[in-house]
Amino acid sequence: MAFIPQTAGVLLKGVKLLLPWRRKNSVEDDFELSTVCHRPEGLDKLQEQTKFTKKELQVLYRGFKNECPSGVVNEETFKTIYSKFFPQGDSGAYAHFLFEAFDTNKNGSVSFEDFVFGLSIILRGTINDRLNWAFNLYDLNKDGCITKEEMMDIMKSIYDMMGKYTYPCMQDEAPREHVESFFQKMDRNNDGVVTIDEFIESCQKDENIMQSMQLFDNVI
């Protein structure tokens, strides 16, 4: 079930775009923190509600403001950010699905708080937390189950973004083959949909998926 490791990889690249990575040393790091003039209100509250330290939140906010000076990200900006890592493919559809997952308030924008809450789950959450978040990403209409049509939309978006430039090159029928493999392994009762319980149970039994979840452990 390569779709989850693939999703983890492309998601990780997008996450890194909003983080201030290239630092020379801790002295430079401390100087950059001291120059952050605009911070979100309730930093202490965010620390309580997430699994980040205050210093980590300050660093995250600096990176977020660098990419999003207004303090919020709309979908078009999100797509532009994601396209930086996939300039030769079409990342628009995948960025749309990812934006929907971060836009938990469904108000058409992602604030720093929205971003940090999602990031806390992805980077610091338990395996179950991360799998629940992934399930929500794939459950496009949020009805509590994943259909073949929803998974096909997700797989096609990944293929459009990077499939034609992978080695070995993915064939045109690859997305559908991934979907069929997904349902063969996860749709335990063969009712045509995958529930959250089926999803988590199947993922926990798949060594490749469990390894892909560990990609996020040491990002920050």
Side-chain angles (χ1 to χ4, degrees), residues 196-213:
I196 182 64
D197 291 337
E198 289 174 322
F199 181 80
I200 290 179
E201 182 181 352
S202 299
C203 288
Q204 289 177 335
K205 293 179 179 179
D206 190 296
E207 183 177 347
N208 289 332
I209 292 176
M210 289 298 94
Q211 288 178 351
S212 74
M213 293 292 101

Side-chain angles (χ1 to χ4, degrees), residues 100-118:
E100 290 286 302
F102 275 103
D103 181 18
T104 54
N105 295 322
K106 305 306 175 189
N107 59 3
S109 64
V110 173
S111 66
F112 177 68
E113 288 78 5
D114 295 330
F115 176 65
V116 167
F117 289 149

Side-chain angles (χ1 to χ4, degrees), residues 18-20 23 33 36 38-65 112-120 124 220:
L18 290 173
L19 301 179
R23 292 199 172 75
L33 284 176
V36 177
H38 303 286
R39 297 183 176 88
E41 294 184 8
L43 201 60
D44 290 333
K45 187 175 181 180
L46 277 179
Q47 184 179 354
E48 294 174 1
Q49 295 174 332
T50 66
K51 297 183 179 181
F52 295 123
T53 66
K54 180 177 284 191
K55 182 174 181 178
E56 287 171 338
L57 288 168
Q58 290 171 326
V59 173
L60 286 170
Y61 186 65
R62 189 191 69 81
F64 188 87
K65 285 287 286 183
F112 177 68
E113 288 78 5
D114 295 330
F115 176 65
V116 167
F117 289 149
L119 207 60
S120 179
R124 300 286 170 81
I220 297 181

Side-chain angles (χ1 to χ4, degrees), residues 68-125:
C68 319
S70 67
V72 295
V73 187
N74 61 27
E75 185 171 334
E76 289 307 309
T77 302
F78 200 84
K79 288 179 178 178
T80 299
I81 293 171
Y82 234 79
S83 69
K84 292 179 181 179
F85 258 119
F86 302 96
Q88 298 180 13
D90 182 359
S91 61
Y94 186 81
H96 165 74
F97 296 141
L98 196 57
F99 180 84
E100 290 286 302
F102 275 103
D103 181 18
T104 54
N105 295 322
K106 305 306 175 189
N107 59 3
S109 64
V110 173
S111 66
F112 177 68
E113 288 78 5
D114 295 330
F115 176 65
V116 167
F117 289 149
L119 207 60
S120 179
I121 295 172
I122 296 167
L123 301 185
R124 300 286 170 81

